[in-house]
Amino acid sequence: MNDLVVLQTIQGIIRYLDSVYGEAAKSMGVVVGYDHRESGSLSSVSFARMTAAVLLHENYKVYALEGFVPTPFVPYSVTHLRAAAGIMITASHNPKEDNGYKVYWSNGSQIIPPHDQHIATSIENNLAPWIPRYNVDESDIFSHPLFDDVTATIAASYLQSLKKVLSGITVRDPVRIAYTAMHGVGGKWIARAFTEISAINRIPEPLPVLSQIEPDPTFPTVKFPNPEEKGALNEAIKFATNNRCTVIIANDPDADRMAVAEFIPDAQPSENPLSQWKVFSGNEIGVILGHYQITKYLSTGATVDRSRGAVVSTVVSSRMLQAIAEKERLHYSATLTGFKW
């Protein structure tokens, strides 16, 4: 990915938004977020500046999420601000050499047919830059009347929504938790979330895995920055073992993916600390979280309307949630992958 590809992509997106929403698209605006990826002179930051410059040139409102934000902030912002679209510049959990351009529609989901096909066609029809040179000067972008840095307000609103989800939870037996951002953007946001939530319901704040907590585009301690990959949690496990933690929480670099591990001591202690940790699969985490949400929904009162309860998982997921939903007489649907169907 380079500046020209980014320029061509946002030009195509703009023209497609124009065709769908007309002049209203400009005032609805586009949310733009980015992570810490960097390779030579190219970076997520520079791609975000190019994206904003083209949008502003076309008189589009730009809702900016500044300072390395987690990917979930972008779709949340799109629906919260009723924007026309959202863009997150990140390579997610892919190798350090990569970068990417996640596009969200006005419903907060990543684009699906026919939008993806129409946008691709629109990009092909708008490959030539509309002007000789876009103004990507940061001070000029930040001072533009259509540029709005919404990071603080979105973060506050997001965390307030999180508090509502976790309302009523109290921790009877606090555990020591280790957290790793895997050299990504999640560190400061997870710390803030736990600090605010702990003040309400005593959920213990995690200990940061210091060697992986700060954003670092070189990912020096992992070969592949995906917490679900075998061996990716080795650094966190060593830290957690040394600091007597019994739970590990890990995010991928753009903090939209999570892994969990639990300390389970062997009957006969091993010299290898890795053998004493259970790393939960994505299916297991999904079932745990899904079962919690189902239990919470059904505990709202004796008159709860089960016909209004729905459970959704993907076609590549375990059928365990389906079994739970059917047992509780709740609607169940399986979708394609991607949190967008």
Side-chain angles (χ1 to χ4, degrees):
M1 197 160 86
N2 55 47
D3 288 339
L4 178 59
V5 171
V6 170
L7 183 156
Q8 293 168 331
T9 301
I10 189 58
Q11 287 186 164
I13 291 171
I14 287 171
R15 283 296 173 261
Y16 182 62
L17 290 174
D18 289 344
S19 71
V20 174
Y21 293 113
E23 282 296 311
K26 293 179 171 60
S27 57
M28 293 170 69
V30 175
V31 177
V32 180
Y34 58 89
D35 70 2
H36 64 308
R37 295 276 178 157
E38 183 177 346
S39 179
S41 63
L42 303 176
S43 67
S44 295
V45 177
S46 66
F47 294 148
R49 299 295 177 252
M50 176 61 73
T51 299
V54 180
L55 286 164
L56 294 172
H57 180 267
E58 293 299 302
N59 295 315
Y60 267 72
K61 178 80 172 180
V62 173
Y63 294 107
L65 295 169
E66 290 295 319
F68 304 157
V69 296
T71 287
F73 274 21
V74 172
Y76 180 88
S77 300
V78 170
T79 56
H80 185 75
L81 299 169
R82 298 181 180 180
I87 294 163
M88 178 65 189
I89 301 165
T90 176
S92 188
H93 53 276
N94 292 312
K96 62 183 180 181
E97 296 82 7
D98 295 351
N99 213 330
Y101 210 77
K102 294 183 177 180
V103 181
Y104 298 83
W105 197 243
S106 57
N107 62 355
S109 295
Q110 285 186 271
I111 53 173
I112 61 173
H115 298 307
D116 56 352
Q117 298 159 352
H118 291 324
I119 288 174
T121 299
S122 184
I123 293 171
E124 288 292 329
N125 292 335
N126 290 277
L127 295 178
W130 293 333
I131 61 174
R133 185 180 181 87
Y134 285 99
N135 182 7
V136 295
D137 181 79
E138 195 167 89
S139 60
D140 290 340
I141 289 174
F142 284 9
S143 62
H144 196 287
L146 292 177
F147 182 89
D148 188 2
D149 181 351
V150 295
T151 314
T153 55
I154 289 298
S157 178
Y158 190 98
L159 290 173
Q160 189 61 37
S161 298
L162 184 60
K163 291 177 187 177
K164 291 180 181 178
V165 172
L166 298 176
S167 64
I169 294 179
T170 55
V171 179
R172 290 174 294 182
D173 299 309
V175 296
R176 286 174 68 84
I177 303 171
Y179 169 76
T180 174
M182 205 147 291
H183 302 296
V185 303
K188 73 174 183 179
W189 301 108
I190 288 292
R192 177 175 170 182
F194 269 94
T195 297
E196 295 193 19
I197 293 166
S198 297
I200 299 173
N201 51 22
R202 298 175 56 206
I203 294 178
E205 297 181 39
L207 300 179
V209 180
L210 297 177
S211 61
Q212 297 180 325
I213 199 64
E214 294 296 331
D216 186 338
T218 66
F219 303 102
T221 68
V222 289
K223 292 181 179 178
F224 197 71
N226 181 351
E228 297 174 328
E229 288 289 323
K230 184 177 180 180
L233 293 182
N234 287 359
E235 186 81 6
I237 287 174
K238 292 176 186 177
F239 174 89
T241 302
N242 292 336
N243 287 276
R244 295 177 287 106
C245 298
T246 56
V247 173
I248 295 170
I249 298 175
N251 280 137
D252 71 335
D254 67 327
D256 67 349
R257 180 174 298 218
M258 182 182 73
V260 177
E262 181 182 9
F263 180 70
I264 302 177
D266 296 332
Q268 295 181 343
S270 169
E271 294 182 1
N272 179 12
L274 302 180
S275 67
Q276 296 185 295
W277 285 87
K278 157 68 176 176
V279 180
F280 291 86
S281 69
N283 277 320
E284 290 170 331
I285 296 171
V287 170
I288 292 169
L289 295 177
H291 181 261
Y292 167 75
Q293 289 284 43
I294 291 169
T295 302
K296 185 177 181 181
Y297 174 72
L298 295 178
S299 68
T300 55
T303 59
V304 63
D305 185 357
R306 292 175 185 260
S307 67
R308 294 178 60 84
V311 178
V312 180
S313 64
T314 74
V315 293
V316 299
S317 301
S318 161
R319 297 277 77 88
M320 291 176 69
L321 274 177
Q322 179 180 2
I324 295 172
E326 291 173 351
K327 176 69 175 179
E328 299 293 351
R329 306 194 309 278
L330 300 171
H331 176 74
Y332 171 83
S333 290
T335 75
L336 298 177
T337 58
F339 304 103
K340 57 188 179 182
W341 299 97

